[in-house]
Amino acid sequence: METRKEKDINLLIITGMSGAGKTTAVQSLEDLGFFCVDNLPPILIPKFAELMIQSGGSIERVALVIDLRGREFFESLFEAIDRLNEMDGISFQILYLDANDQVLVTRYKETRRRHPLARGGMPLEGIQVERRMLQEMKGRANQIIDTSQMKPLQLREKIISQYSQQSSQLTINILSFGFKYGIPIDADLVFDVRFLPNPHYVDELRPKTGCDQEVAEYVMKWSETQEFVSKLLDFLIFTLPQYQREGKSQLVIGIGCTGGKHRSVTISEYIGKVIGKDFPVRVTHRDMEKSK
């Protein structure tokens, strides 16, 4: 197995057996902020590395998936890797994903996919051919992960643990909205605050928004608001770590009132400040400017 001097890895080449989990790996790396390219012809790898250098840091971490769908280019992969070794400013590693033949056959049967190298339609035949073709690449890999006994979530956790620059955290997006404009289609959780006292019926508050102090004080002063916020925070404090443990990287929480201008905005801002002490939080007000 090759060893390289210790540097920050900014180019990761992912290869290995078909059915061993490359799709799960690349999706996990995308969640870590990697720019991912699937099935890039190996002959283009050095050119891609040059673009990374020329970007001046705008392209920081890249994952390239190389597999036998591009087998006509596969022989040029070793030449491309040798060229990477000669380039300054690029640090790369090779991640090889493997699994035993029995597991791979089972996975192909479960998905009813045809192995790309199985001319006669028998998965084992294609697997054995592929394993011979990839033998040298496996020997060059910096890390080999055997996924035979792994579920996708376990592979995801291993990838995140191995390649995250910081501890993986669930990112929370809190979105205030007005029910009159429709429920956000990308919301994972939706909470309706239309039962709270409405500043719209207070003349001096009507033109303001939930971001204004006067409106926020009005919304928050009621006992039902305080009880609701307390129960909602209890719910989120319990569930957010569960989402993170399950492997979710982003969660969209929708908080809606009638027009999305007063109550939902205030509650979203308040919840965001509290949750933001433990998680990365982004608060957005979808409809606040519509209700003027």
Side-chain angles (χ1 to χ4, degrees), residues 9-16 22 29 34 42 45 62-67 77 80-81 84 91-97 137 141-143 163:
I9 304 165
N10 52 20
L11 177 60
L12 182 64
I13 298 173
I14 306 169
T15 189
K22 291 193 290 291
L29 290 164
F34 277 76
I45 291 177
V62 173
L64 304 179
V65 181
I66 307 296
D67 61 28
L77 178 56
I81 291 173
L84 287 178
S91 172
F92 74 94
Q93 282 196 1
I94 300 171
L95 169 63
Y96 187 96
L97 298 178
M137 179 55 59
N142 299 86
Q143 182 175 17
Y163 296 104

Side-chain angles (χ1 to χ4, degrees), residues 191-211:
F191 299 96
D192 185 350
V193 298
R194 287 177 292 184
F195 66 92
L196 299 177
N198 193 351
H200 176 80
Y201 298 110
V202 180
D203 291 342
E204 60 270 27
L205 298 181
R206 185 176 303 145
K208 299 181 182 295
T209 74
C211 290

Side-chain angles (χ1 to χ4, degrees), residues 36-50:
C36 298
V37 181
D38 192 10
N39 202 28
L40 183 74
I43 196 172
L44 298 179
I45 291 177
K47 186 63 177 178
F48 198 96
E50 291 175 6

Side-chain angles (χ1 to χ4, degrees), residues 2-158:
E2 288 189 358
T3 58
R4 294 177 55 85
K5 61 183 180 180
E6 289 296 322
K7 293 193 294 183
D8 290 337
I9 304 165
N10 52 20
L11 177 60
L12 182 64
I13 298 173
I14 306 169
T15 189
M17 297 296 294
S18 300
K22 291 193 290 291
T23 298
T24 298
V26 77
Q27 290 173 346
S28 303
L29 290 164
E30 283 180 333
D31 289 340
L32 290 176
F34 277 76
F35 180 83
C36 298
V37 181
D38 192 10
N39 202 28
L40 183 74
I43 196 172
L44 298 179
I45 291 177
K47 186 63 177 178
F48 198 96
E50 291 175 6
L51 293 175
M52 291 177 63
I53 296 172
Q54 295 169 6
S55 73
S58 61
I59 304 177
E60 294 183 349
R61 298 200 295 170
V62 173
L64 304 179
V65 181
I66 307 296
D67 61 28
L68 291 179
R69 287 176 295 169
R71 56 188 178 276
E72 64 271 21
F73 303 103
F74 202 75
E75 293 300 323
S76 63
L77 178 56
F78 301 122
E79 180 182 348
I81 291 173
D82 291 338
R83 289 184 60 188
L84 287 178
N85 273 313
E86 298 170 356
M87 298 175 67
D88 293 327
I90 284 291
S91 172
F92 74 94
Q93 282 196 1
I94 300 171
L95 169 63
Y96 187 96
L97 298 178
D98 201 359
N100 64 52
D101 290 354
Q102 183 176 351
V103 168
L104 291 175
V105 169
T106 300
R107 290 175 182 174
Y108 269 99
K109 287 185 176 180
E110 288 176 347
T111 60
R112 299 184 179 179
R113 292 176 53 218
R114 181 181 180 275
H115 192 284
L117 298 180
R119 295 180 179 178
M122 301 294 289
L124 183 58
E125 176 188 350
I127 290 167
Q128 291 172 341
V129 171
E130 182 180 35
R131 197 175 294 283
R132 290 194 295 271
M133 292 179 66
L134 290 174
Q135 185 175 1
E136 183 177 350
M137 179 55 59
K138 184 176 182 179
R140 292 194 179 208
N142 299 86
Q143 182 175 17
I144 299 170
I145 298 178
D146 189 328
T147 68
S148 300
Q149 304 301 320
M150 287 185 179
K151 295 181 179 179
L153 178 58
Q154 293 172 313
L155 175 58
R156 173 182 169 81
E157 290 173 347
K158 187 172 183 66

Side-chain angles (χ1 to χ4, degrees), residues 198-233:
N198 193 351
H200 176 80
Y201 298 110
V202 180
D203 291 342
E204 60 270 27
L205 298 181
R206 185 176 303 145
K208 299 181 182 295
T209 74
C211 290
D212 292 311
Q213 183 177 352
E214 302 94 322
V215 174
E217 290 177 350
Y218 179 87
V219 173
M220 296 299 299
K221 73 178 183 178
W222 306 97
S223 61
E224 53 262 55
T225 304
Q226 295 294 325
E227 185 174 358
F228 169 75
V229 167
S230 176
K231 292 181 182 298
L232 177 56
L233 285 172

